[in-house]
Structure formats: C-alpha cells, structure tokens
Amino acid sequence: MQAQLIIAAILGIALLLVLIIKFRIQAMVAILIGAIFIGLAAGMSFEQIIDSVNDGIGNTLKGIALLVGLGSMFGSILEISGGAQSLAVTMVDKIGEKKAAWALSITGLVIAMPVFFDAGLIILIPIAFSLAKRTGKSSLYYAIPLLAGLAVGHAFIPPTPGPILVATMLGVDLGWVILIGIICGIFAMIVAGPIWGAYCGK
C-alpha cells in the first residue's frame, strides 16, 4: 500500500509537469487534474477525492487567501503604475552605478514580496541589461543580484504564498516568519547576489 502511494505521487507530479510544461494548461487546473489522478491511482473513490480536495483547498485558502489577495493587488498596482521600475531607477541613482548591483538586489527583494517572481523579472530585467550596456560590464554582473533579490523576496518573506502556506501549515506566527525571513533572506541575497554576481561577471 505504501509503495502504491509513493508511485501514485510520483506519477501525479510527472503528470502535473507534463500538463503545465508541454500542454500549457493553467496551473490551478493542472493541479486539480493531478490531485484527481493521484487519488484514483491510490485507490480512492471519486467521493473521497472530492472531499479530500475540498478540505485541502478550503483549509489552505482560509489561512492565506486574504494575504495573498492583498499582496497580488498591491503587486498589480506596482506593476501597472510603473512603480517597480521607478523604485529600481531611483535606487540606482541614489546608490550610484558602482554599487548598482546592490541596488538591484535590494529592489528585487522589495518588489518580490507583493509581485510574483516572473512578473518582477519581466519588469526589472531591462534595467539590468541597460546598466550592463552602459557600463560595459557583463550582464551577469547585474542580472544575478537582481535574480537573487527576487528569489529571496519571493521565497522567504510574506505576503508571497509560499511562506504564508508553510507558516499556516506549521502553525507559526506570521510576524516571526516575516522577521526571520528578512534576517535570513538578507544574508542569502548578499551571498547569492552581489558577491556571486561579481564573481560570475568576471
């Protein structure tokens, strides 16, 4: 029985990846299809699968829906209004081109909290390329710090969905998640961003 559950989970994840990557099916729909497939492969009835999916989605959303919804709203405002680009340009102007990699890291960290990673990347990556062209340095010198900031902001610090979901599942106070996420995230961003970017840029 345990082996059947493991095999069902592996096949379900493989199906999920195929649906999203190859067939470009919307992620939520693909997750539902994958969940149904795993349930059937594990020997559950349709009624049990529906109840399980309802309970799982309901318990998850009741804890994170409001925060994720507000974060998405603020992120959309930043994206559409051009606030994200303005923040990046202002940071670079204030800190100076010599420390522009640090400015891009910090901007990425701040922007990725309300804006999803891919949206933040699309908005800000032209600034990294523009700086590389203007200074004559490798694009990696600026792109790596930006990516590090975006990744850390998106993975470590609420209101992004991942940390909120983990905090809800573990029953951890969200304030502590934000505090520890910022402390750990800053160190990770510095090492993976400006330091590693300067090395890659050579």
Side-chain angles (χ1 to χ4, degrees), residues 61 63-74 114 116 159-162 164-165:
L61 288 181
I64 69 171
L66 180 61
L67 287 170
V68 172
L70 287 173
S72 299
M73 286 168 56
F74 287 128
F116 285 109
T160 51
I164 296 175
L165 177 59

Side-chain angles (χ1 to χ4, degrees), residues 85-101:
Q85 288 177 316
S86 297
L87 177 61
V89 171
T90 302
M91 287 287 291
V92 171
D93 288 342
K94 293 289 184 184
I95 295 177
E97 283 192 2
K98 289 185 177 180
K99 295 183 179 178

Side-chain angles (χ1 to χ4, degrees), residues 85-175:
Q85 288 177 316
S86 297
L87 177 61
V89 171
T90 302
M91 287 287 291
V92 171
D93 288 342
K94 293 289 184 184
I95 295 177
E97 283 192 2
K98 289 185 177 180
K99 295 183 179 178
W102 289 86
L104 287 174
S105 285
I106 296 167
T107 303
L109 180 68
V110 173
I111 293 299
M113 293 180 204
V115 179
F116 285 109
F117 179 93
D118 50 354
L121 178 62
I122 291 167
I123 295 167
L124 297 176
I125 198 68
I127 298 172
F129 290 144
S130 174
L131 281 168
K133 188 175 181 180
R134 197 160 64 195
T135 60
K137 293 184 178 180
S138 167
S139 57
L140 288 176
Y141 185 86
Y142 298 106
I144 294 292
L146 173 61
L147 291 169
L150 287 168
V152 166
H154 188 70
F156 281 71
I157 308 165
T160 51
I164 296 175
L165 177 59
V166 172
T168 303
M169 291 173 68
L170 297 178
V172 181
D173 182 73
L174 204 57

